[in-house]
Structures are given as C-alpha cells and as structure tokens.
Amino acid sequence: MVPIPRDVGLALQELLPRDGPVPLQGGRLLQCGIVSGLSSEQLRQPRTIILLGASGVSDGLLSEDVQAGARFIRLEPVSKDADVSEDGTAALHSLLLELLRLMSQGLECPMLLCCSQPAGDHAAVGHDSAVLAAAVVATLGLAPAKEAVSLAEALIPNIRLDAELQDLLTFGTGAASPEAVLGTELLGRAQSVLQGCTVSSPQTSGEDEAAWLRRDLKALHRQARTAPDDAPNLAALLAELAAGAGRLAALSHRAGDAAAASFARGWALVRLQRFGDAREALQFAAALAAIAPTAGGVGRGKPDVGSQIAKELAAIPASEGLSCRLVVRPHESSEAVDPKRQVVVVAKCSSEGKEEDDGQRWQTLPCPSRFSWIIYGPPCTLFAAGCTPAENENHALQVLNLSTQIKADSPGSGDDPPVHETVDAIAQALKADSGCYLHASAGSTAGGVALACFLCKYGFGYPDDWSPAQPAHPAAEVTDLVRGLQ
C-alpha cells in the first residue's frame, strides 16, 4: 500500500479537546515516510517539499507532475543506525533547528516533510520525519509535549519513542533549546508562517480549504475502505479521516455537503469503536440531511446518504454512546428528555441572498444545560425545563417554539416568586398555545419545586385534559421524577 501524506494539523486536532481552539489548520504541514509513488493529486499547490536523506529527486522517486511547481529543500540525512542513540538525538536536534530556520523564511504551504530513501531503506528516516513534525508542533507551542509524543505515534503507526526522543520533544537532553539558539523572534516568524498569519504565506480561505479537504478525504476514505483489518496504519487513517471530515462539515455552508462530511466522520468513528462521538456525528449528519432539499439530493452526488446514516447508526450497540451530545431538529426533538445530555439544535438559517446556497444554509444552536422536554405535543403544547439560558442559548429556545420563559427563582438575592404564581403562569402559557420554558439558576431548587407542584396539579396531559379538582399525580411519584431531572 503506497503511503499517502499525513496532515499534521488534522492529526493534531483529533488528539486535542474537541471544543478547544484549533492550533494548526489542515493543509499547512504534511508528513510522509517516503515520497515514492506520490501523485500531484495527493499534494497541493503551492508546496514546499523538505527531503530528509541522501538521495536526489532525480532517482525516479517523484513523478514529473509532482516535481512541477514544487520547491525542494534538502536537510542533512540522519544515520539510521543512530535513531535512538544519544548521537542520533543530537542529530535530530540539529535538524530541528535548521527546519525551524527554514520555516521562518516564509516557505510556501503546504510543507511536506518526508524522506527520499528508496522503498525498503527508509524506516529510520521515515521515523525521523514523524518525530521532527511533532517536535515542530511542540517547539512552536501548538501542543504540549505529551500530545506531541502522541502525534508522532499517530503519524507513524507502531512507533516507539524512548527517553532520548522524548527528550528531543521536551528539550531535556542538555542541548540548548531552540528558543535559546534561534531567539523568540525567529520562532514567532516560523509559527506565523506555519499558521498562515503572514503576508508571505496567507492563510488558506475556507473555500480553498474545503476544496482540498474533499479531495484528500476521498483518498483517505478509499484507502481506509480497502485496507485490511489488521493493517498497522488503519487506526491512524481512520482518526485522520474523522478529524478532517469534522473540519469539512464545519466549513461546508450547504447542509447536504455538511451531512456527507459528518457521515464520513461517523463512519470512521464507528470503526474506531468511539461510539459516543460516532453517534453524535451520525445524528448531526441525519439532521443536516433532513434540511437538504430532497430534489437536489444530499451532498455532492450522494442522494442515498440518509440510508447509509441509518445503517451506521444501527451498527452502534444500543447501550453505547448515550452520553454524547444529542443533535436534534426543531420539529423532531422529542428525544431531548435526558437532562444529563447537552442538546444541540440543527436548523436552517438565512441564505443572505446567496442563491447558490439553494436554501441549505444551516446553523447549530446550543440549548441551555439540563434541557429536557416535560410535555412534548407539537405544535400547540410544548413545555420544557432546564437551567437559565445564556445569551447564546436563547435562539435555540426560539426555534423550538418555546416563546414564553418563566423564571422560578429570583435573579438576585431576594425571595423567589411564590410557587403558586409560577405554576399558574405555566398553565396560562400552555392554555394560550404558547410554548413554555421553565428555568432556574444552576444549583437552585426553585425550578424543581415549581415543576413538581405543576405536575401534581396538572400532570403530563394537554390543557383540554386537565382536571384541577383532583391531583393528577401523587406527590411522592412526582418528587422522584423531578429529582431525576435536577
């Protein structure tokens, strides 16, 4: 199986917390064990190819279309007999300094760091290219040393980093640190070039990034589908596919494109047995697919993605992945009954006059924490409860048609409103066919007390079924239920 370039930015994003900042965009730094067999479709223009090893590009390792328009830079080779020795670590340290100097000079991205040794004689140098890529990430402060070690292991499956190579990443070998040798100004320039923050190396636009992601993910998906189950690099390929597909979904303005990308992420995560993340990605894909116009299909030539999503969801064990975020659509949100799961609403948004969006522009809207439906009887009877919404969470309540918000506790240090007034306000809103959201501050018991009193008096039925003359539910039964919602 011919190796393909590994995207360091996407691999790093998969290792770091999902909700954290993106330290390195995809398409900036690539790594490959060997350049033999690469095609121009696997690389992107403009590009800089940094070669480790003694062989030249005239050895037939690169096709003419790959060589066209690329800038080649050679670093001194590392002896494959000293890859884990003290001398080998010192040599890697020297290569790291030279690589950072080159980056600071405004190299064009993507940069491909690879070896030029013939196949069968490149193990040590391919090992070094992964370690150097991880060391660059750690040195420029894009990730802690621990994550950088994991990054190297993800780039080259089955790699073993002993103490000497870990010392390289943390600069604990006694050698001078890159900051001491090169200075903070030079390292700052190298970081700016790598992250696309300089005039000489402008950051890739979202449209351009989405375009090359589609192409690269297609190759990754093809290779992951055809790889044997025991292939040593299969897990790494699936992890990179999952990270890249998640990034592509976020970049896609059209709901159909985002659905196809999110499905690819879920497909990869199912095979990695990361069932929680897989369930969330596939629910996200299903919600997006429902937004995409049926006549136009889903995504780019993928009208059957809906059935594929259902097939992958069915492959997840019923008891697995139930703690992930719950992704729902405004008119199909009845599953949102577990206050322990964060609820996210996927909804259409204005196309802002862009006819090419074809009515598929979408947005994700977070619900308040501990959101849970109490009565779900659309379109007229809607009653939910949870924590007091933050400013960015009110939009989700609006698209769920919860137009009336009732606060059960005092906004300050004063006394809470009388419980009977809160219960009456809920009843009046529901009788008026106005969706109602009962909320209280996190840690407050006022919301639970008001909810328990309402359910004792009116129960879970629709207003036409209410009979206030007698309690709808025993107090003990309702108390246990409400306690589970808090």
Side-chain angles (χ1 to χ4, degrees):
M1 188 163 54
V2 176
I4 62 174
R6 303 297 312 282
D7 194 311
V8 177
L10 295 181
L12 180 61
Q13 292 175 35
E14 187 66 17
L15 293 171
L16 296 176
R18 178 178 56 191
D19 298 329
V22 177
L24 180 61
Q25 298 287 357
R28 306 301 300 174
L29 179 62
L30 310 177
Q31 179 273 337
C32 192
I34 190 169
V35 296
S36 175
L38 293 183
S39 67
S40 59
E41 293 182 355
Q42 294 171 312
L43 298 174
R44 300 179 288 276
Q45 294 278 13
R47 58 181 180 267
T48 304
I49 299 179
I50 302 171
L51 294 165
L52 304 175
S55 301
V57 296
S58 60
D59 295 334
L61 296 175
L62 294 172
S63 60
E64 292 183 1
D65 62 340
V66 171
Q67 295 187 44
R71 177 184 178 185
F72 291 88
I73 298 176
R74 183 171 305 286
L75 293 182
E76 290 297 322
V78 178
S79 171
K80 58 178 175 293
D81 296 327
D83 59 328
V84 294
S85 69
E86 183 177 353
D87 291 340
T89 303
L92 282 172
H93 186 272
S94 176
L95 281 176
L96 174 61
L97 296 179
E98 184 60 27
L99 181 57
L100 291 168
R101 284 195 185 96
L102 289 170
M103 288 183 172
S104 71
Q105 296 171 8
L107 299 181
E108 290 182 303
C109 289
M111 304 177 200
L112 174 66
L113 182 62
C114 57
C115 96
S116 58
Q117 297 288 353
D121 190 29
H122 71 280
V125 186
H127 173 281
D128 292 339
S129 65
V131 173
L132 284 176
V136 166
V137 167
T139 304
L140 297 181
L142 304 179
K146 180 180 179 181
E147 277 71 20
V149 172
S150 299
L151 174 63
E153 294 173 346
L155 294 174
I156 298 291
N158 301 323
I159 195 172
R160 291 296 180 266
L161 292 178
D162 57 9
E164 287 82 3
L165 292 181
Q166 293 190 47
D167 281 344
L168 171 69
L169 298 180
T170 56
F171 315 113
T173 60
S177 70
E179 183 176 0
V181 176
L182 303 176
T184 55
E185 182 178 352
L186 186 146
L187 291 180
R189 290 202 304 269
Q191 179 177 345
S192 296
V193 169
L194 192 59
Q195 292 184 309
C197 302
T198 64
V199 175
S200 61
S201 180
Q203 186 168 358
T204 304
S205 69
E207 292 78 6
D208 290 341
E209 185 180 356
W212 65 252
L213 270 173
R214 287 191 191 97
R215 183 178 61 208
D216 285 8
L217 293 177
K218 184 177 181 180
L220 273 174
H221 198 185
R222 185 187 308 114
Q223 190 163 6
R225 287 199 317 267
T226 57
D229 292 340
D230 59 350
N233 65 338
L234 180 58
L237 286 174
L238 291 170
E240 188 170 337
L241 175 61
R247 174 64 179 164
L248 178 58
L251 289 171
S252 299
H253 295 300
R254 300 177 72 250
D257 294 340
S262 192
F263 164 73
R265 173 175 170 79
W267 180 90
L269 291 170
V270 167
R271 280 143 188 82
L272 289 169
Q273 296 188 1
R274 291 171 48 185
F275 295 125
D277 291 337
R279 188 182 294 277
E280 179 181 325
L282 293 169
Q283 287 177 344
F284 187 46
L288 288 164
I291 293 176
T294 304
V298 176
R300 298 179 182 269
K302 296 289 186 180
D304 60 338
V305 73
S307 61
Q308 296 177 27
I309 293 169
K311 179 180 178 181
E312 291 300 319
L313 279 170
I316 299 176
S319 60
E320 296 282 354
L322 298 180
S323 61
C324 68
R325 295 190 305 174
L326 177 63
V327 182
V328 299
R329 289 185 292 139
H331 302 297
E332 286 189 16
S333 58
S334 58
E335 291 181 74
V337 294
D338 183 354
K340 297 179 182 178
R341 297 181 68 179
Q342 181 185 356
V343 179
V344 178
V345 182
V346 174
K348 288 185 178 181
C349 65
S350 170
S351 63
E352 301 177 359
K354 296 184 179 181
E355 295 182 1
E356 66 273 20
D357 288 326
D358 200 20
Q360 291 194 47
R361 287 181 65 86
W362 57 278
Q363 57 188 330
T364 56
L365 306 171
C367 285
S369 60
R370 305 200 67 77
F371 178 94
S372 177
W373 285 115
I374 307 302
I375 302 176
Y376 184 77
C380 297
T381 308
L382 298 169
F383 178 31
C387 290
T388 298
E391 184 175 353
N392 68 323
E393 295 167 343
N394 282 306
H395 196 176
L397 298 178
Q398 293 173 10
V399 300
L400 291 173
N401 292 323
L402 295 172
S403 56
T404 300
Q405 293 190 24
I406 298 175
K407 188 168 176 60
D409 59 350
S410 171
S413 57
D415 295 335
D416 295 336
V419 175
H420 72 274
E421 291 184 3
T422 302
V423 171
D424 290 344
I426 298 170
Q428 291 173 9
L430 296 180
K431 287 179 181 178
D433 293 337
S434 176
C436 178
Y437 179 65
L438 173 67
H439 62 91
S441 303
S444 172
T445 60
V449 172
L451 177 58
C453 292
F454 174 87
L455 293 177
C456 279
K457 186 174 183 179
Y458 296 104
F460 295 93
Y462 298 165
D464 292 341
D465 301 327
W466 291 348
S467 177
Q470 58 183 1
H473 288 282
E477 177 182 324
V478 168
T479 300
D480 289 339
L481 173 64
V482 171
R483 186 178 293 117
L485 294 175
Q486 292 183 319

